[in-house]
Amino acid sequence: MRRALVALTLLLAAACGPKPAEFPVGFYGVSTPADADLLAAHGYDAVQTYETDPAKVAAMARAARRNGQLLLATPFGVMGSTWPVRDYRGTVWYLQDEPDVSGVSDAELAARDKKVRAWDPASKSAFVVGSGSAAADYPGAGDDLMVDWYPVPHLPLESVGEQVRLTKAAAGKRRTWAVLQAFNWKDFPQRDPKKPRIGRFPDMAEIRFMSYDAVVNGAQGIWYFTYSTATGTNLAQTPELMFAVDWTARELRAMAPIFARGRPIPPPFAPVPGENQARAWTYHGRDYVVLVNPNAGKDCSVDPELLKATWRPLFEVRRDPRELLRRVGGLYFLRQHQVLVLESRLRLKRLLGR
């Protein structure tokens, strides 16, 4: 009964929660309104399309409005068409995919942004960099600055947080969105075609860690790449892979009101460099903590404050957080790349705004 009440509370919070632009949970590579409808049913409130035909983009925009989704789409195929701009209302215009990789300068990107705003003055714009270290090279464009990073299995999983942190530092007043891996590198060309292809689809735990690692390091929205695969299928045709992404996406949608509208507060313990990382918020009288262990090959001790009865873990089958951790003597450890999401009891001082 307690778990059912917790789930109901989170669902009600999500139902009256923030608009998708405040904390989108979305998928790249969505081609049809039917796909947008399916993803809406799975709980995704944002979709990106590579379609450029004006009629197809307009149809995607209608589907997104009907579903209450944010649509991210390329503007340059529709700007010169006879379709009125009102048919695309609500769309966030996608200025460029990885300008740092394709050699597009900040001046070029800013000029594109200016052109789009002259055509659609009420619109917002975004672009994605291929590396957080390049984000500082693009201060002149976009309302939303995105970074994509796909480490499995070539790079450390915790490199996601580093890339988001670099992007966030360069974003200024722009929102920071993370685009995370939901594909198998074997389905894409390798840099050296003479070498055997290496890759696999991230497992459920890896997707969960990457998502929360991004949030802890400043992401204000999470996207997954990609719904349409390089082999001409989509994830709905591989339910086990879709489920691996859905699991975390549902958690993020439930947490979106807290991430978007909660008041950031210091974690209830003193963080130790090289140990667990955490972010905390207070929302509607309760405190929330997201704790991640970004250390490969190292379990990190959890501060006793978080093990008190005043905290309960969310999205777990255990009420006591200690039952989710590794015990050594009297200490409890978060395993490498493990995530713990905690909610406090109602606190009067929070209800009073303190």
Side-chain angles (χ1 to χ4, degrees), residues 79-230:
M79 288 174 61
S81 74
T82 57
W83 288 71
V85 70
R86 66 175 178 272
D87 287 350
Y88 309 107
R89 65 186 182 278
T91 300
V92 175
W93 295 114
Y94 193 47
L95 299 175
Q96 177 66 40
D97 192 84
E98 297 186 343
D100 49 321
V101 176
S102 53
V104 175
S105 69
D106 180 58
E108 292 175 281
L109 201 61
R112 293 182 189 182
D113 198 13
K114 184 177 180 180
K115 185 176 180 181
V116 171
R117 292 178 192 276
W119 167 68
D120 187 2
S123 66
K124 301 291 185 181
S125 62
F127 66 97
V128 63
V129 291
S131 169
S133 60
D137 297 331
Y138 295 93
D143 297 287
D144 304 296
L145 177 58
M146 311 171 77
V147 60
D148 56 23
W149 199 252
Y150 315 132
V152 178
H154 305 85
L155 297 169
L157 202 62
E158 63 273 16
S159 60
V160 165
E162 177 186 10
Q163 297 302 314
V164 172
R165 186 167 58 253
L166 290 169
T167 305
K168 180 68 174 176
K173 295 182 179 180
R174 296 172 291 182
R175 302 184 67 81
T176 301
W177 293 343
V179 186
L180 305 178
Q181 183 178 352
F183 69 91
N184 184 343
W185 272 114
K186 283 187 177 180
D187 295 336
F188 290 82
Q190 309 288 288
R191 289 187 177 181
D192 186 347
K194 296 180 181 179
K195 293 183 178 180
R197 293 189 174 190
I198 299 172
R200 62 177 176 81
F201 199 94
D203 64 34
M204 189 184 302
E206 290 170 326
I207 291 170
R208 188 172 192 249
F209 172 78
M210 287 190 291
S211 302
Y212 282 109
D213 191 34
V215 170
V216 165
N217 282 280
Q220 296 160 289
I222 301 293
W223 297 75
Y224 298 103
F225 184 94
T226 170
Y227 180 72
S228 298
T229 70

Side-chain angles (χ1 to χ4, degrees), residues 69 121 330 334:
Q69 293 168 313
L334 201 66

Side-chain angles (χ1 to χ4, degrees), residues 27 29-42 44 46-73 83 87-88 227-228 234 236:
F27 246 117
V30 182
S31 299
T32 68
D35 288 336
D37 293 345
L38 183 147
L39 288 170
H42 280 245
Y44 297 91
V47 290
Q48 183 273 351
T49 185
Y50 288 110
E51 296 292 342
T52 58
D53 177 84
K56 292 182 178 180
V57 178
M60 287 293 294
R62 287 194 297 273
R65 289 194 297 271
R66 180 177 67 247
N67 295 330
Q69 293 168 313
L70 179 153
L71 174 65
L72 186 62
W83 288 71
D87 287 350
Y88 309 107
Y227 180 72
S228 298
N234 61 52

